[in-house]
């Protein structure tokens, strides 16, 4: 490794974050992980209307990185957290932790103490189902 401009050491993570910062018009924005965070499982995000944000946060035993703008709260979850889950409306699942049609990256409003950015997806899913009055698909009656 060599020191970059100003004597700073540029790591692969730093370079990847710099690359993410360069975008062309029309490219969806990605939620950037805070410095020092590792995402060994990849990153997706679950967006919920801002009115649900504080209610969800208070119901979760563990909270990872959370971003917010005026209309949505974005929860970082491991990649493929939509596998076999139908996230209840009005939630939106964002593969790759992208923020479609946003003018700017939402602000980071919560950072966990450790180095992993994830909110556990099953507790988030169940809390969101409860708030929206949605029965999880595995609890619904099966018709023959």
């Amino acid at each position: 490794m060599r020191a970059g401009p100003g004597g700073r050491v540029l790591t692969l993570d730093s370079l990847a974050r710099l690359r993410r910062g360069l975008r062309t018009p029309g490219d969806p924005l990605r939620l950037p992980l805070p410095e020092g965070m590792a995402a060994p499982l990849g990153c997706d995000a679950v967006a919920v209307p801002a009115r649900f944000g504080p209610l969800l946060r208070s119901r979760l035993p563990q909270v990872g990185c959370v971003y917010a703008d005026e209309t949505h709260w974005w929860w970082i979850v491991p990649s493929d957290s939509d596998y076999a889950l139908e996230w209840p409306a009005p939630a939106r699942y964002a593969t790759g932790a992208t923020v479609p049609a946003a003018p700017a990256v939402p602000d980071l409003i919560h950072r966990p103490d450790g180095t992993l950015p994830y909110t556990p997806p099953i507790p988030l899913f169940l809390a969101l189902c409860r708030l929206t009055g949605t029965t999880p698909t595995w609890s619904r009656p099966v018709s023959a």
Side-chain angles (χ1 to χ4, degrees), residues 31-121:
L31 297 171
L33 295 182
E35 196 69 39
M37 289 267 161
L41 303 176
C43 285
D44 289 344
V46 177
V48 299
R51 69 181 183 276
F52 290 136
L55 299 170
L56 282 170
R57 188 173 178 178
S58 68
R59 294 174 186 223
L60 295 171
Q62 181 181 345
V63 177
C65 289
V66 181
Y67 297 80
D69 59 22
E70 293 175 0
T71 58
H72 291 91
W73 282 32
W74 302 83
W75 306 79
I76 297 294
V77 295
S79 290
D80 299 323
S81 292
D82 61 338
Y83 180 76
L85 291 178
E86 290 180 31
W87 288 86
R92 291 188 319 219
Y93 191 85
T95 303
T98 57
V99 184
V105 174
D107 294 324
L108 178 68
I109 61 168
H110 182 265
R111 177 190 171 137
D113 292 331
T115 59
L116 297 176
Y118 307 121
T119 295

Side-chain angles (χ1 to χ4, degrees), residues 121-139:
I122 298 300
L124 177 62
F125 174 80
L126 292 173
L128 188 56
C129 284
R130 182 146 187 140
L131 280 175
T132 60
T134 304
T135 302
T137 52
W138 62 73
S139 296

